[in-house]
Amino acid sequence: MYDDEATVRKILTESGDTWAVVGLSNNRQRAAYGVAEVLRRFGKRVVPVHPKAEPVHGEQGYASLADIPFDVDVVDVFVNSDLAGPVADEAVAKGAKAVWFQLGVVDEAAYERTRAAGLDMVMDRCPAIELPALR
């Protein structure tokens, strides 16, 4: 239900190209760093969201979604499941079109709230795996 192929495809191809990646820092050992590189290769603008607010891949970082001074299409979440729900709520408040919880990140209550707010959402999937498979 929360990872259906039609929604995966819609988010990757129709939801827009500005992706806020929550948990993205300059730590090259973290999965978020590599996924951000793949998103960029596929034409997505990747905006880092991390408490340090450091630039990553040449894009200014922000401490929170609310701090981003422009619209965000998709919020990609690289935090533990117990912290992910509030991020989904922030994505709704920000006006994002979709929320993507990475592999291993599942919060069914957040999924229900996010879908009820009208956003598309996928959990427990990785866009770096799904994007190349679309071709």
Side-chain angles (χ1 to χ4, degrees), residues 51-120:
K52 293 181 183 177
E54 60 191 358
V56 182
H57 297 300
E59 185 76 42
Q60 174 61 49
Y62 298 91
S64 72
L65 290 173
D67 292 341
I68 301 173
F70 49 83
D71 291 339
V72 169
D73 299 313
V74 180
V75 176
D76 189 5
V77 182
F78 276 93
V79 299
N80 292 328
S81 295
D82 58 338
L83 302 174
V87 177
D89 297 336
E90 291 174 27
V92 171
K94 179 69 179 161
K97 297 174 189 164
V99 175
W100 190 296
F101 281 8
Q102 283 296 141
L103 290 172
V105 181
V106 176
D107 180 332
E108 293 188 12
Y111 178 85
E112 294 300 328
R113 290 193 310 273
T114 303
R115 295 292 295 133
L119 282 70
D120 289 315

Side-chain angles (χ1 to χ4, degrees), residues 24-27 32-33 36 40 46-50 53-61:
L24 175 59
S25 70
N26 275 312
N27 183 344
Y33 192 89
R40 292 180 68 236
V46 175
V47 181
V49 179
H50 189 277
E54 60 191 358
V56 182
H57 297 300
E59 185 76 42
Q60 174 61 49

Side-chain angles (χ1 to χ4, degrees), residues 17-30:
D17 291 332
T18 301
W19 285 53
V21 179
V22 178
L24 175 59
S25 70
N26 275 312
N27 183 344
R28 294 174 182 263
Q29 305 305 312
R30 304 291 304 208

